[in-house]
Amino acid sequence: MSPFTGSAVRTPGWEHLRVEVADGVATVTLARPEKLNALTFGAYADLRDLLAELSRERSVRALVLAGEGRGFCSGGDVDEIIGATLSMDTAQLLDFNRMTGQVVRAVRECPFPVIASLHGVAAGAGAVLALAADFRVADPTARFAFLFTRVGLSGGDMGAAYLLPRVVGLGHATRLLMLGDPVRALEAERIGLISELTEEGRADETSQRLAHRLAQGPALAYAQTKALLTSELDMPLAASIELDASTQALLMTGEDYAEFHAAFTEKRPPKWSGR
């Protein structure tokens, strides 16, 4: 996302999310614990706009997405979204579904790593938000459920049919998206849906530790790695190799590449500037 902005000013506060930024790490918490952090129209829109704003500012180097209370996110709110969509016309429904997809694109396209910190349920849209993250850190209570067919909709919601086969393979993705059965933490780790399995109650702590490690590292190298991982999913090998070559040539002119050599020569840790 481009760092250039027009007349828009920074959002002074976020109504539907709890946002904290410290030491280059943004912690974004879904904070409706009484509803298992079920998503509303406002929460989707805030996530979309927040990620775009942080991407423009370039002050955040890693982001942790977490849920307050007993679980990560139970998906779209049954009353506030599913009930409301029953009275919408096709144009309004398309606008809504495009917005939810924009959130997933924002997670994938923002220039910093996103870590989903998972405990309890990650269902429906909550499961896709976790899927879109770069890292999924979960404790043993975590369970995923892609529930879209259970409500009479396609399992390929919000890019799930694109992302999930690339994470766990087509066979597992077909089973999870078709049947909507819950996948508990041990199986999720086995099939590659979880990046790191922690002890119970330690997912947030481990996620923060990983986020601070990433925030202290070479931010531009991480941003370009993320961009290539996303871009090259649909590229032939020859095009991927050419894009890799162009990217490396540009990064080799950067300050961080020279800093690594200086630090190696002087036998000290590098001081990464993200440039």
Side-chain angles (χ1 to χ4, degrees):
M1 296 181 185
S2 170
F4 297 102
T5 187
S7 303
V9 297
R10 185 178 187 182
T11 305
W14 300 93
E15 181 180 348
H16 305 283
L17 307 167
R18 188 166 68 244
V19 181
E20 302 165 284
V21 180
D23 301 323
V25 174
T27 303
V28 180
T29 305
L30 306 175
R32 297 182 75 209
E34 73 285 359
K35 291 289 188 87
L36 272 175
N37 302 317
L39 296 166
T40 62
F41 295 113
Y44 278 118
D46 270 6
L47 275 171
R48 175 199 61 194
D49 296 345
L50 170 66
L51 288 163
E53 194 167 290
L54 293 176
S55 297
R56 287 194 302 268
E57 290 180 355
R58 301 292 169 97
S59 58
V60 164
R61 292 191 170 198
L63 183 145
V64 175
L65 181 60
E68 182 180 326
R70 295 181 293 117
F72 174 68
C73 176
S74 59
D77 189 286
V78 172
D79 295 321
E80 294 193 33
I81 289 187
I82 297 179
T85 53
L86 292 174
S87 62
M88 291 182 178
D89 61 27
T90 302
Q92 292 171 316
L93 291 168
L94 184 56
D95 284 341
F96 165 65
N97 283 287
R98 282 176 170 162
M99 176 177 69
T100 64
Q102 287 164 358
V103 175
V104 170
R105 284 191 60 183
V107 173
R108 292 304 316 146
E109 294 175 3
C110 63
F112 42 79
V114 175
I115 302 160
S117 179
L118 305 168
H119 69 287
V121 67
V128 183
L129 285 179
L131 175 65
D134 301 291
F135 299 89
R136 284 164 295 283
V137 176
D139 82 2
T141 68
R143 62 188 187 280
F144 297 82
F146 297 87
L147 296 174
F148 306 107
T149 60
R150 296 288 187 95
V151 300
L153 297 177
S154 164
D157 194 58
M158 298 171 62
Y162 178 90
L163 291 170
L164 192 58
R166 289 161 170 81
V167 174
V168 302
L170 180 60
H172 290 306
T174 301
R175 173 172 59 91
L176 300 185
L177 295 183
M178 286 272 194
L179 300 179
D181 291 339
V183 182
R184 299 190 180 277
L186 288 177
E187 182 189 359
E189 183 187 33
R190 178 179 62 81
I191 65 177
L193 190 51
I194 287 176
S195 309
E196 182 175 354
L197 186 60
T198 74
E199 296 178 4
E200 187 167 343
R202 304 293 290 274
D204 285 346
E205 175 189 336
T206 303
S207 296
Q208 287 292 330
R209 186 164 58 246
L210 174 58
H212 281 83
R213 173 185 172 184
L214 290 164
Q216 293 163 12
L220 187 57
Y222 292 153
Q224 292 305 307
T225 301
K226 177 172 180 173
L228 292 180
L229 284 167
T230 299
S231 298
E232 293 182 16
L233 286 172
D234 299 313
M235 285 186 180
L237 178 60
S240 295
I241 289 174
E242 181 61 24
L243 182 57
D244 288 352
S246 301
T247 300
Q248 297 296 52
L250 289 171
L251 290 176
M252 285 174 177
T253 68
E255 294 177 14
D256 279 350
Y257 188 64
E259 166 61 14
F260 166 77
H261 185 263
F264 181 83
T265 302
E266 297 166 16
K267 296 181 173 55
R268 59 172 176 82
K271 298 177 182 176
W272 306 113
S273 65
R275 297 179 180 275

